[in-house]
Amino acid sequence: MENVEKLILIRFGEIHLKGQNRPYFENMLQRRIREAVAFYEGARVSRHDGRYFVRGAEHNPEVIEKICRVFGVHSVCPAVQMPKDSFEDICEMACELMKDEKGSFKVHARRSDKRYPMGSPEIAAKVGEAVLNANENLHVDIKNPDTRLEVEIRDKAFLYSKVYMARGGMPVGSNGKAYVLLSGGIDSPVAAYMTAKRGVHIDAVHFDSPPYTSARSRQKVIDLAKLLTDYCGSIRLHIVPFTEIQQEIYEKCPDEELTILMRRSMMRIAQAIAIEGNGTALVTGESIGQVASQTLESLASTNDVCALPVIRPLICFDKSEIMEVARDIGTYETSILPYEDCCTVFVPRHPKTHPKIEDVRKSEENVDFAALEARAMEQATFMDLHLGDSHEVEQY
Ligand code: ATP
Ligand code: MG
């Protein structure tokens, strides 16, 4: 058969809903797919008729895997493209694709070329009949088939029977930019992932307390950010020295309010960095009741210092549910490495679980937070991480 080409066909999800903004989302998604396959020399991405196509990479599994991580993609199908004029050839190709299958199957046909001489049901029936005659290990099951062979008649004919489900969501960058407070723990990387899934570009802020926290614990956070680039694309990671602020709080404020005052200071700094970088929201890994600083009252008292919305994707998740996502996205093994972080260094003996905002505000008067936070921001550094940097992270 001539002019047959192996390619990857990509189906997209929610951006179908986007009405007038649709071209914007579609262009953004195309850009993200292009970035995801750029590592493969010769791979070309195009869009046609409600589908994206990657040509020049045949059915390379690594390319398929990368596309599955692009938010906004619904599913990825290794497909065959061929001329549509010979229906006989289409049937022959269908038999070839299905020759090793066993069990039940169905053919589903779709026709965007309305001038094509056959309707979809007729195409499906005829191709199905050919496949059935060619492979005695197959029988038809319309309702619940083991294998679905798709036949799409567009400018060309496309056939595929394997579908890799992607993650859905919306293309990163299509819904603004937020700053995640990224600790070395399990939760905040998951929160970043979930926010990015809604199309939000993610930058990160980490608070570091040398010499109480080590270079290794800082490297752990850098590694987590690198792992996140698989989904989030580019991430600017700001690292803010927090030791001085913690020490001042420790010396001058009530012990039981230590954590809450620390968290308020973190939020103020993260918010200032976000505003400077044109971000419009903060993201944290908090979940109701998980620790003393995550009771509703504690959340209220951290919110008290934020004008920007604070996104807390994990707010109603159980720890086990969060861990499941962390494993799925590949951050878990790094998150559980036993390095200290700044919150574990200065822990109050009896943290307040129901802080009153007025009390906390009052305690804050003991410390010149404005000056300390300004200095911390001056001393902050940042690094830019990019799609693909996850390769540099040691796998466990
Ligand atoms: P995580 O698993 O993300 O560390 P956690 O359950 O340990 O969360 P806390 O330590 O109370 O919870 O922190 C709550 C949230 O505050 C974190 O999810 C994160 O968003 C932010 N946070 C805590 N410590 C830091 C830090 N050192 N740098 C940046 N953000 C932090
Ligand atoms: Mg933590």
Side-chain angles (χ1 to χ4, degrees):
M1 244 178 269
E2 279 180 12
N3 296 319
V4 173
E5 186 184 354
K6 280 182 169 181
L7 46 62
I8 299 168
L9 180 151
I10 301 167
R11 309 191 291 194
F12 51 89
E14 198 169 324
I15 58 177
H16 275 312
L17 306 173
K18 280 288 154 187
Q20 283 191 340
N21 286 332
R22 191 169 155 162
Y24 171 76
F25 283 88
E26 288 185 350
N27 288 332
M28 190 67 85
L29 182 54
Q30 185 159 350
R31 229 157 85 192
R32 296 293 164 252
I33 296 171
R34 227 171 237 151
E35 288 164 2
V37 304
F39 79 97
Y40 193 98
E41 207 176 318
R44 306 182 311 279
V45 182
S46 59
R47 185 173 78 227
H48 184 75
D49 213 6
R51 298 276 189 243
Y52 294 88
F53 299 95
V54 178
R55 294 187 165 83
E58 298 215 329
H59 295 164
N60 181 279
E62 212 181 328
V63 172
I64 291 173
E65 191 191 319
K66 296 275 194 259
I67 302 168
C68 282
R69 291 183 175 188
V70 175
F71 291 135
V73 171
H74 170 273
S75 47
V76 184
C77 317
V80 168
Q81 172 194 291
M82 60 188 297
K84 61 184 170 185
D85 30 291
S86 162
F87 189 68
E88 229 168 81
D89 283 355
I90 291 175
C91 290
E92 195 184 323
M93 178 58 73
C95 296
E96 171 65 22
L97 290 178
M98 297 293 285
K99 73 176 189 308
D100 296 324
E101 301 294 338
K102 292 187 186 69
S104 61
F105 83 108
K106 97 177 241 188
V107 178
H108 179 247
R110 203 188 300 251
R111 179 185 68 131
S112 70
D113 171 8
K114 297 300 175 200
R115 287 167 309 180
Y116 197 71
M118 270 182 255
S120 305
E122 192 184 351
I123 297 170
K126 292 217 161 115
V127 173
E129 195 185 333
V131 170
L132 199 57
N133 289 335
N135 182 340
E136 57 186 19
N137 297 320
L138 283 173
H139 62 272
V140 175
D141 182 345
I142 301 291
K143 283 223 173 73
N144 194 18
D146 299 326
T147 311
R148 263 173 79 108
L149 175 67
E150 300 281 345
V151 179
E152 300 189 1
I153 307 291
R154 302 172 176 278
D155 55 334
K156 304 263 173 43
F158 297 87
L159 284 76
Y160 56 94
S161 62
K162 290 211 166 39
V163 176
Y164 297 91
M165 292 311 288
R167 291 167 182 267
M170 302 173 84
V172 168
S174 63
N175 278 327
K177 173 167 161 185
Y179 281 69
V180 63
L181 285 87
L182 190 65
S183 70
I186 295 172
D187 306 334
S188 44
V190 173
Y193 163 86
M194 289 178 69
T195 308
K197 186 172 176 216
R198 295 307 304 160
V200 178
H201 175 92
I202 296 291
D203 279 351
V205 182
H206 174 68
F207 298 91
D208 196 22
S209 307
Y212 301 104
T213 57
S214 63
R216 283 194 314 182
S217 77
R218 169 200 281 243
Q219 185 58 43
K220 173 179 166 181
V221 175
I222 296 170
D223 283 349
L224 285 170
K226 284 183 177 174
L227 291 172
L228 285 170
T229 63
D230 275 352
Y231 307 95
C232 302
S234 302
I235 297 175
R236 176 166 288 188
L237 170 62
H238 298 262
I239 299 183
V240 183
F242 203 56
T243 317
E244 201 183 356
I245 294 174
Q246 280 183 299
Q247 278 169 337
E248 285 275 309
I249 300 174
Y250 192 67
E251 280 161 27
K252 299 184 176 156
C253 301
D255 180 73
E256 67 273 15
E257 287 175 6
L258 214 77
T259 309
I260 205 78
L261 291 170
M262 221 166 70
R263 304 269 310 113
R264 280 166 66 99
S265 184
M266 283 185 184
M267 295 302 258
R268 278 191 297 263
I269 294 172
Q271 171 166 273
I273 292 174
I275 289 170
E276 209 173 278
N278 293 321
T280 50
L282 300 177
V283 181
T284 74
E286 290 160 308
S287 148
I288 300 171
Q290 199 187 81
V291 288
S293 58
Q294 297 177 21
T295 61
L296 289 181
E297 289 88 344
S298 300
L299 294 174
S301 101
T302 44
N303 258 13
D304 180 48
V305 301
C306 296
L308 294 182
V310 181
I311 301 170
R312 298 180 171 95
L314 310 179
I315 198 71
C316 293
F317 274 43
D318 293 349
K319 193 74 187 186
S320 60
E321 293 170 320
I322 299 169
M323 282 159 56
E324 198 176 307
V325 183
R327 284 201 187 90
D328 173 48
I329 65 176
T331 53
Y332 182 78
E333 297 298 330
T334 301
S335 285
I336 59 171
L337 292 174
Y339 306 138
E340 66 295 327
D341 79 22
C342 71
C343 300
T344 54
V345 177
F346 294 85
V347 188
R349 277 176 298 279
H350 303 290
K352 250 190 198 168
T353 47
H354 304 285
K356 290 212 170 57
I357 289 180
E358 308 79 64
D359 297 348
V360 176
R361 284 186 187 160
K362 190 106 193 79
S363 308
E364 250 169 18
E365 288 168 12
N366 300 338
V367 174
D368 186 355
F369 279 105
L372 287 171
E373 288 168 5
R375 188 153 61 230
M377 284 182 58
E378 266 166 36
Q379 293 169 352
T381 54
F382 69 81
M383 56 201 302
D384 286 322
L385 307 170
H386 301 287
L387 190 70
D389 284 354
S390 62
H391 282 304
E392 296 164 13
V393 178
E394 206 177 310
Q395 301 294 322
Y396 299 93

